[in-house]
Amino acid sequence: KPNLNKVALCKYMQYFVPFGEDTFYQDVFKLEASTYMIYEPNKPQELQKKKYYKINTYKAIKDEKQALNDIEELLVKSVEYRLNSDVEVASLLSGGIDSSFISALYTKISGKRINTFSVGYNEYKNYCELDFAQITANHIGSKHTAIEINHKEYIKHFEETLDMLEEPHGDSAAIPLNILTKHINKAGIKTVLSGEGSDEIFLGYDNYSKFLKYYEFEKSLSNKQNLFLNDIIGALQNNTKESEYLRRIVKKQNLYNSFGEIYTDIQRKRLFKKVPTFKSETAKQDPVDWMSYIDLKIWLGEALLSKVDRISMGNSLEVRTPFLDFNLVDYMFSVESKIKVGDTNKYLLKKIASKYIPNEIINRTKKGFNSPFNEWLNKEYKDSILDVILDVNKATNLFNDSYILHIFELAKSNKFKQHLYSLFIFSLWYKKEYLS
């Protein structure tokens, strides 16, 4: 059996998955996204890898009205194209703007009452968005199915989901997605539309505005001001997110290295030297395009889509993503950044979507596909979560034991819960692969 690839583990702890060619096994590689391989029988030693798609980043669209018209037309064509099927096509409906807009476009294009599906929770209602999904379902007149998950059903599907993902994957939304897609398959549906990609191309994440604010702020400072600012930052409390963002940007540090504390000093020095920095394919280092590009390549391309594809296909369900039509993606990178940013997140999309879905959905606070995973796992497994992680760490000596204990305690009050979840998932996999 191949040894553990520690560089892949380092990437996983930061990004939910190992990206690029890395897998969790040393000397076992995967093809990078947008790449194919050519094997010629008469040249067995000369495997060729070729990239078939790169994002086009040429800036051309400077008029907002033109952009709005073009984007709407591209979205309509994208949905139409993805409705070509020999079987019934349904739509995932989370209650957010993305899936609501796609479902509304589908309804208008088809002129029929479509099937929509959403998932929620009968405990911890603060994570549940079923009420918002129902608002959109009522608005478009869909045949809507809402699936409520409880603690027992979540735990029942937990280990099955980890097996479907094939390697450690840090996205806790995989378990609710497994339950949801299983229900959709049982309803006889084989294909669904989904809203992935909108946040990345239309700038939907709150962090985008934070990064831009700090980018402009740092760019305007003189060297002397920078020194003064460092003194101010040093006086800020260490546990505030705002001061952490600011500190790392001023000191030119990689924001994504915040997981580094979990490793022992020796492992951190070894691993972080090997993890590459990212260079955009854009000729100009436009900060807006750079953020969008990195999230498309890493967060969406590697983490989210690998989860969606493996889980949905594990339940014989095909998920189609209209926002990720390459014509639309290329077009969005051709739009001037000032137009894309506007005065709110998803500025352009909200203007178009206002024709199709209620303002209550458009103007609501963004909420990711979350779940009470931390509450349910702690309730079910209690201290055995810590036991599994520490057992694996005895065998690997990868992690800082005191830091593990620290985040285990914090996770009981829903702090650092993602750190603990990623560690737990990796430890379960490692124990099964190497210690059993």
Side-chain angles (χ1 to χ4, degrees):
K1 178 172 289 188
N3 292 326
L4 173 70
N5 180 358
K6 293 178 182 177
V7 173
L9 172 62
C10 184
K11 291 178 177 180
Y12 161 79
M13 290 303 298
Q14 296 180 82
Y15 302 97
F16 285 17
V17 288
F19 53 85
E21 294 186 334
D22 279 306
T23 73
F24 271 87
Y25 301 103
Q26 279 186 20
D27 302 320
V28 177
F29 304 100
K30 61 190 176 190
L31 278 174
E32 292 187 84
S34 310
T35 305
Y36 64 90
M37 183 178 282
I38 301 171
Y39 168 74
E40 297 181 51
N42 60 333
K43 299 178 183 177
Q45 304 302 319
E46 296 180 22
L47 288 172
Q48 294 181 38
K49 290 184 293 181
K50 293 192 176 181
K51 203 167 184 67
Y52 60 81
Y53 171 68
K54 288 184 179 180
I55 294 170
N56 180 0
T57 58
Y58 176 70
K59 290 292 181 193
I61 310 302
K62 304 179 186 295
D63 179 70
E64 182 178 313
K65 187 176 180 181
Q66 179 192 347
L68 289 169
N69 289 334
D70 291 347
I71 292 165
E72 185 172 5
E73 184 179 328
L74 284 165
L75 272 168
V76 170
K77 287 181 179 177
S78 179
V79 172
E80 282 179 339
Y81 181 68
R82 283 157 182 82
L83 294 179
N84 291 326
S85 177
D86 295 329
V87 295
E88 172 72 18
V89 178
S91 188
L92 300 183
L93 183 57
S94 70
I97 183 174
D98 307 330
S99 61
S100 296
F101 188 23
I102 293 299
S103 300
L105 275 178
Y106 177 10
T107 300
K108 183 174 182 180
I109 291 165
S110 66
K112 67 179 186 180
R113 194 177 178 210
I114 70 170
N115 284 292
T116 53
F117 293 85
S118 58
V119 65
Y121 315 101
N122 62 4
E123 305 171 65
Y124 303 102
K125 292 289 188 179
N126 54 309
Y127 295 109
C128 187
E129 296 188 276
L130 290 179
D131 290 345
F132 287 102
Q134 191 63 56
I135 290 170
T136 298
N138 292 341
H139 183 78
I140 64 176
S142 68
K143 291 178 278 185
H144 186 61
T145 303
I147 294 146
E148 280 195 310
I149 300 173
N150 57 31
H151 166 255
K152 184 179 178 181
E153 191 170 20
Y154 180 93
I155 296 301
K156 176 186 171 184
H157 288 87
F158 178 62
E159 290 191 18
E160 174 195 87
T161 306
L162 303 188
D163 289 339
M164 291 168 76
L165 291 167
E166 299 180 318
E167 62 180 358
H169 196 298
D171 191 348
S172 60
I175 294 91
L177 182 65
N178 182 19
I179 298 168
L180 173 63
T181 53
K182 199 181 293 285
H183 277 275
I184 295 172
N185 174 268
K186 286 179 181 177
I189 302 292
K190 302 298 181 186
T191 307
V192 293
L193 302 184
S194 188
E196 277 81 14
S198 171
D199 283 315
E200 290 75 16
I201 64 173
F202 288 105
L203 309 177
Y205 297 122
D206 290 338
N207 269 347
Y208 288 159
S209 60
K210 289 181 182 179
F211 280 121
L212 284 175
K213 179 175 68 176
Y214 295 141
Y215 174 85
E216 293 299 327
F217 180 57
E218 191 272 336
K219 194 170 70 171
S220 67
L221 294 175
S222 67
N223 289 335
K224 191 174 288 187
Q225 287 172 316
N226 259 315
L227 290 172
F228 174 66
L229 186 63
N230 279 332
D231 291 336
I232 296 174
I233 292 170
L236 293 173
Q237 291 182 353
N238 290 330
N239 61 350
T240 63
K241 283 186 177 179
E242 298 289 329
S243 65
E244 179 63 15
Y245 288 140
L246 192 55
R247 180 186 298 107
R248 289 183 181 275
I249 285 171
V250 169
K251 294 187 176 182
K252 307 294 193 299
Q253 292 176 354
N254 183 346
L255 281 167
Y256 295 104
N257 279 355
S258 58
F259 270 95
E261 291 89 343
I262 204 164
Y263 294 101
T264 63
D265 287 339
I266 294 171
Q267 291 296 342
R268 182 164 58 244
K269 288 172 184 175
R270 286 176 182 170
L271 294 175
F272 280 83
K273 284 180 181 178
K274 298 178 183 178
V275 177
T277 55
F278 301 111
K279 293 182 179 178
S280 170
E281 289 162 8
T282 56
K284 301 175 185 176
Q285 287 294 312
D286 182 310
V288 175
D289 282 353
W290 185 85
M291 291 186 300
S292 184
Y293 175 86
I294 293 299
D295 273 344
L296 277 169
K297 294 277 283 187
I298 306 298
W299 172 239
L300 180 78
E302 300 284 355
L304 295 187
L305 293 183
S306 66
K307 171 201 70 182
V308 170
D309 187 61
R310 291 176 186 181
I311 296 300
S312 62
M313 294 307 286
N315 288 313
S316 301
L317 183 73
E318 180 190 350
V319 176
R320 298 177 178 178
T321 50
F323 285 117
L324 290 172
D325 185 288
F326 77 93
N327 297 295
L328 178 60
V329 172
D330 282 350
Y331 185 87
M332 288 307 300
F333 274 88
S334 76
V335 177
E336 279 290 328
S337 292
K338 284 185 180 179
I339 297 175
K340 285 193 286 189
V341 171
D343 58 6
T344 181
N345 62 344
K346 293 186 184 172
Y347 172 71
L348 293 174
L349 186 67
K350 285 179 178 178
K351 284 208 160 191
I352 302 167
S354 63
K355 303 178 188 178
Y356 297 88
I357 56 178
N359 285 330
E360 189 174 358
I361 301 299
I362 292 171
N363 297 324
R364 61 172 295 216
T365 303
K366 176 174 172 54
K367 195 174 183 180
F369 186 23
N370 212 337
S371 69
F373 72 91
N374 189 56
E375 292 89 340
W376 282 340
L377 289 175
N378 271 299
K379 181 180 177 181
E380 182 70 21
Y381 297 110
K382 302 182 176 67
D383 288 350
S384 64
I385 293 174
L386 181 62
D387 294 338
V388 169
I389 298 171
L390 292 177
D391 283 347
V392 167
N393 202 36
K394 280 181 185 177
T396 62
N397 196 31
L398 283 164
F399 306 118
N400 181 335
D401 273 349
S402 61
Y403 194 67
I404 292 171
L405 291 166
H406 178 59
I407 62 173
F408 176 72
E409 291 302 320
L410 286 171
K412 291 176 181 177
S413 55
N414 272 345
K415 297 173 183 175
F416 283 74
K417 60 183 180 180
Q418 180 58 53
H419 291 63
L420 186 68
Y421 183 82
S422 296
L423 264 181
F424 185 45
I425 297 303
F426 165 73
S427 299
L428 287 171
W429 173 84
Y430 188 92
K431 189 172 183 179
K432 186 175 181 179
E433 286 288 298
Y434 291 99
L435 300 182
S436 59

